[in-house]
Amino acid sequence: MKNTITKIESFYVRVPLGRPLKLGAIEIPDRHYVIVRIYDEAGNVGTSYGLSRNAPVAEVVHNNIIPIWKGKSLDNHEELYNLTTKANVCLGTNGIFFRALSLFDCALYDLLAIRAKQPLYKYLGGESKAIPTMLVGGYPTSNETEETLAAEMELYATYNPAGVKIASTTDAFKDGERLRICRKYLPKSIPLMIDCVWGQTDAKTYAIEVQKWEDLNMKWIEDPFLTDDYENIRYLSENTKIDIAVGDEQSGYLNMLRLMDQGKINVLRLDATVCGGVRTFIKIAKAAYQRGIPVACHVFHQLHLHLACAVPGVEIIEYMLPESDIESYQRLWDNDLVLENGTFTPTENPGVGTAWNEEFIIRYKE
């Protein structure tokens, strides 16, 4: 088989949202995705996409990654990956470079599985299975009422998800009121989560409010503090019955080990498009499994579904319904997976299996 990488692309697609979003200090007027594509000489194409967070991710792919990989053999991808990390060591083990490398690695594994004519989970040695899926919504708005929040919860309940996660206002008392409304309108069997968007600074004060939520069937509290604030994370973990889940949009194998070992988290949140790519996701997830810490994936359900089918301990993925109007990624492809009884099951299409909406991508490409 022809093994040479002949072309690599990286570009942005800015997709409108129905309404601007605000998560703590983070303002999201639209969704800004970066797409990476890798071509081989046989005409196969591997593709990945992720959130740029308005950072120059595509430029890093062009300047720091393409010169090392273009024209090289796919047979040497492990060696080339290690060379790329060493050549860019001055940029650190977290941040924009690793986001770029992660997306490149995800596109690479899509290509490798396509070349093998296998779905990604099978290429990685996994087995097809239905993966529990939680729904994400409840982003706070200025005009939110009990009625609007109730309607959202009632909609989610019809899908029988593995959980429902709402976003924090960063006001713990107000979040408690909102969680009680959600609990009122969700079946008791569906657990709640809350994404605290790194909005807290004092675990001792926050724990007092969090303890009041322990009767709400909370599955976890997510990202309450900055990811490397191990002291506050550990204190909260040790002073509430609710699990603490941390790791969203973070990278680096050693960073994740410190988070687990020093932060004493109960659930590791992991995203292959940020943590170092498919290969590093697998490495980190195995370390979590050895520690008895379950992995929950961040967004990108199509990709993470395959990894959940291939890696022990990856227990749950997440999804945002199109009608929730908090994501735009459904517009990037022609068809989506079907959410059945709160689970997704992978198709047998080669690679990740995404059918890209090229017309839409061209229209919104920057």
Side-chain angles (χ1 to χ4, degrees):
M1 182 180 288
K2 297 178 179 180
N3 295 333
T4 303
I5 296 173
T6 58
K7 181 181 176 182
I8 302 167
E9 292 180 322
S10 184
F11 56 89
Y12 300 112
V13 178
R14 189 179 295 276
V15 185
L17 284 168
R19 58 184 172 90
L21 305 174
K22 185 173 176 61
L23 293 176
I26 304 171
E27 296 186 358
I28 308 173
D30 49 37
R31 288 297 189 182
H32 195 234
Y33 302 109
V34 57
I35 293 178
V36 176
R37 283 181 165 159
I38 306 173
Y39 300 74
D40 71 9
E41 58 185 320
N44 298 302
V45 185
T47 305
S48 70
Y49 79 104
L51 293 164
S52 76
R53 299 303 190 191
N54 293 308
V57 180
E59 288 81 353
V60 174
V61 173
H62 282 282
N63 297 335
N64 301 73
I65 298 175
I66 290 179
I68 295 174
W69 287 79
K70 187 176 180 181
K72 300 299 194 304
S73 171
L74 287 162
D75 294 336
N76 300 326
H77 67 86
E78 189 72 36
E79 177 185 337
L80 288 167
Y81 183 94
N82 293 333
L83 173 62
T84 307
T85 59
K86 291 177 181 177
N88 291 280
V89 67
C90 295
L91 299 178
T93 57
N94 211 327
I96 297 172
F97 168 72
F98 261 82
R99 191 176 286 258
L101 180 62
S102 299
L103 286 165
F104 183 87
D105 196 60
C106 291
L108 177 69
Y109 270 87
D110 186 39
L111 175 59
L112 292 171
I114 288 171
R115 285 164 56 86
K117 297 181 172 55
Q118 294 180 324
L120 180 59
Y121 78 84
K122 190 174 292 184
Y123 177 80
L124 295 172
E127 297 181 353
S128 178
K129 55 186 175 181
I131 300 299
T133 303
M134 63 180 179
L135 293 177
V136 181
Y139 279 41
T141 62
S142 59
N143 60 351
E144 181 182 86
T145 64
E146 177 170 343
E147 289 73 23
T148 61
L149 199 53
E152 194 171 357
M153 296 303 110
E154 289 171 344
L155 169 64
Y156 296 160
T158 64
Y159 290 88
N160 193 29
V164 170
K165 184 173 73 175
I166 69 169
S168 170
T169 64
T170 71
D171 180 324
F173 178 78
K174 186 179 293 185
D175 283 344
E177 293 182 325
R178 297 173 70 240
L179 285 167
R180 291 198 177 278
I181 292 172
C182 293
R183 182 74 283 154
K184 179 179 176 182
Y185 293 97
L186 277 176
K188 293 180 180 179
S189 59
I190 299 177
L192 279 166
M193 303 86 146
I194 185 166
D195 182 352
C196 298
V197 294
W198 309 281
Q200 302 299 319
T201 57
D202 179 16
K204 293 182 179 179
T205 301
Y206 190 53
I208 295 171
E209 291 299 324
V210 165
Q211 288 163 2
K212 299 174 185 177
W213 306 347
E214 291 176 352
D215 63 336
L216 298 178
N217 187 19
M218 296 287 296
K219 193 172 183 70
W220 69 61
I221 295 169
E222 182 176 310
D223 291 325
F225 308 102
L226 294 178
T227 308
D228 57 358
D229 188 355
Y230 307 129
E231 184 176 348
N232 269 321
I233 294 171
R234 182 173 61 251
Y235 182 91
L236 188 60
S237 177
E238 293 172 347
N239 287 275
T240 177
K241 297 176 183 178
I242 304 171
D243 284 349
I244 308 302
V246 183
D248 272 20
E249 305 208 46
Q250 303 303 310
S251 59
Y253 177 70
L254 294 178
N255 292 333
M256 293 299 191
L257 294 190
R258 284 189 285 269
L259 179 58
M260 290 186 281
D261 296 341
Q262 297 179 39
K264 301 298 182 184
I265 61 173
N266 309 106
V267 178
L268 178 64
R269 296 275 296 160
L270 207 50
D271 183 343
T273 72
V274 178
C275 74
V278 169
R279 74 189 74 221
T280 303
F281 180 104
I282 294 171
K283 186 177 180 181
I284 295 169
K286 286 181 176 178
Y289 186 69
Q290 291 169 353
R291 289 163 169 76
I293 297 175
V295 169
C297 296
H298 174 243
V299 202
F300 310 117
H301 62 292
Q302 293 169 320
L303 170 64
H304 289 134
L305 173 60
H306 287 273
L307 299 182
C309 287
V311 185
V314 182
E315 295 188 355
I316 190 169
I317 60 177
E318 67 181 16
Y319 182 62
M320 300 175 181
L321 293 171
E323 52 266 50
S324 69
D325 212 17
I326 57 176
E327 259 294 355
S328 303
Y329 53 37
Q330 292 93 346
R331 301 169 72 184
L332 295 175
W333 51 75
D334 286 326
N335 58 284
D336 200 357
L337 299 166
V338 178
L339 185 63
E340 293 185 307
N341 196 29
T343 66
F344 279 124
T345 303
T347 70
E348 293 301 301
N349 297 330
V352 175
T354 306
W356 296 98
N357 184 341
E358 299 295 344
E359 183 178 343
F360 182 87
I361 290 172
I362 291 170
R363 178 182 176 187
Y364 288 97
K365 180 179 177 181
E366 291 187 337

